[in-house]
């Protein structure tokens, strides 16, 4: 749940598309998701890091070997993501086949959890609801259940900033104080699940 909602929604859509073509083909679903998460994010970042290390003067003498090691790490991770055994073209990876196959349950579970997110239409509906029910520029009308969802998403961002040790300026700290107050209101309001719209004056 620490991954961006947009990225998770894309993976959810890819899983649905795979299921529409070949129902219950988990391997195809995982392959499409892995093509986004691992191939375009994880492994490419690792390979790029190895390339950057090669340029470092401290490692210039062994630059080629360093880059090669990171390339191999990214290859192994991508193979785990694809859940396939190494073939004859990459004989050096064949001793890792048992290890790769042993990671299949973990990678499948990771992909399943990653795609357990509301569709993007759900969040777009919340945006439209706010706009349609806000008659004045200085007033935002939103249901308390919608506000609860919104503050939870914002709290996730706040937690990530604090965990990363990011320095927060005075304006950001004030924003977080308001956010904490909104989150408290959502928790303490007994009828926050009811659909009636409430008006909140913007701070």
């Amino acid at each position: 749940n620490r991954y961006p909602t947009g990225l998770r929604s894309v993976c959810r859509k890819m899983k649905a598309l795979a299921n529409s073509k070949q129902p219950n083909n988990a391997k195809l679903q995982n392959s499409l998701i892995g093509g986004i998460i691992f191939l375009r994010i994880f492994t490419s970042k690792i390979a790029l890091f190895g390339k950057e290390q090669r340029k470092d003067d401290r490692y210039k003498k062994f630059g080629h070997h360093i880059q090669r090691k990171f390339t191999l790490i990214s290859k192994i991770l991508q193979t785990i993501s694809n859940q396939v055994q190494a073939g004859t073209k990459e004989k050096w990876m064949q001793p890792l086949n048992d290890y790769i196959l042993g990671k299949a349950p973990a990678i499948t579970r990771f992909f399943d959890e990653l795609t357990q997110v509301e569709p993007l239409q759900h969040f777009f509906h919340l945006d439209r609801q706010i706009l349609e029910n806000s008659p004045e520029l200085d007033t935002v009308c939103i249901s308390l259940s919608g506000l609860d969802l919104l503050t939870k998403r914002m709290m996730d961002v706040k937690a990530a900033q604090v965990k990363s040790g990011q320095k927060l300026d005075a304006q950001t700290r004030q924003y977080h104080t308001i956010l904490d107050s909104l989150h408290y209101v959502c928790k303490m309001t007994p009828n926050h699940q009811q659909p009636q719209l409430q008006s909140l004056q913007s701070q």
Side-chain angles (χ1 to χ4, degrees):
N1 58 12
R2 292 194 297 269
Y3 283 79
T5 301
L7 177 62
R8 296 181 66 190
S9 296
V10 170
C11 291
R12 182 184 187 277
K13 183 64 175 178
M14 296 299 290
K15 183 177 181 178
L17 288 172
N19 195 49
S20 68
K21 296 293 183 182
Q22 297 184 25
N24 302 319
N25 187 340
K27 193 170 183 178
L28 176 61
Q29 296 173 15
N30 293 343
S31 176
L32 291 176
I33 298 171
I36 297 175
I37 297 295
F38 278 82
L39 183 61
R40 288 167 177 78
I41 299 178
F42 293 164
T43 57
S44 58
K45 185 71 173 179
I46 292 170
L48 178 62
F49 180 78
K51 185 177 180 180
E52 293 299 320
Q53 291 298 299
R54 182 176 183 175
K55 297 177 183 178
D56 195 317
D57 291 337
R58 296 173 297 173
Y59 311 123
K60 196 170 184 179
K61 185 178 179 181
F62 307 102
H64 174 73
H65 299 287
I66 291 174
Q67 183 176 355
R68 177 63 178 163
K69 286 182 183 296
F70 282 101
T71 301
L72 296 181
I73 291 172
S74 63
K75 258 187 174 306
I76 293 169
L77 287 175
Q78 188 60 52
T79 304
I80 291 173
S81 170
N82 294 338
Q83 300 182 38
V84 295
Q85 297 187 47
T88 55
K89 291 184 179 180
E90 296 176 322
K91 292 183 178 181
W92 62 272
M93 284 187 64
Q94 290 180 358
L96 295 172
N97 279 338
D98 289 342
Y99 175 79
I100 291 169
L101 292 178
K103 291 295 181 181
I107 201 70
T108 298
R109 185 169 61 252
F110 169 66
F111 288 152
D112 285 342
E113 293 175 357
L114 190 68
T115 53
Q116 289 177 10
V117 64
E118 296 284 355
L120 280 178
Q121 290 87 341
H122 174 80
F123 301 100
F124 294 157
H125 174 72
L126 177 60
D127 290 340
R128 286 196 299 270
Q129 186 185 56
I130 294 173
L131 290 173
E132 290 172 1
N133 294 283
S134 301
E136 300 175 15
L137 293 177
D138 61 345
T139 302
V140 174
C141 296
I142 182 174
S143 67
L144 288 175
S145 59
L147 180 62
D148 186 35
L149 171 65
L150 195 60
T151 53
K152 283 178 180 177
R153 299 298 175 193
M154 292 177 176
M155 292 292 282
D156 289 342
V157 175
K158 174 186 174 182
Q161 290 176 325
V162 173
K163 186 175 180 180
S164 66
Q166 180 179 339
K167 272 195 169 184
L168 307 178
D169 56 29
Q171 185 176 3
T172 304
R173 288 196 299 271
Q174 184 181 15
Y175 163 75
H176 283 164
T177 300
I178 296 171
L179 180 61
D180 289 337
S181 300
L182 289 174
H183 190 59
Y184 176 78
V185 169
C186 291
K187 287 174 63 178
M188 298 303 294
T189 305
N191 63 339
H192 74 280
Q193 294 296 335
Q194 296 180 7
Q196 292 92 347
L197 296 177
Q198 305 290 334
S199 296
L200 293 173
Q201 286 297 123
S202 59
Q203 298 291 329

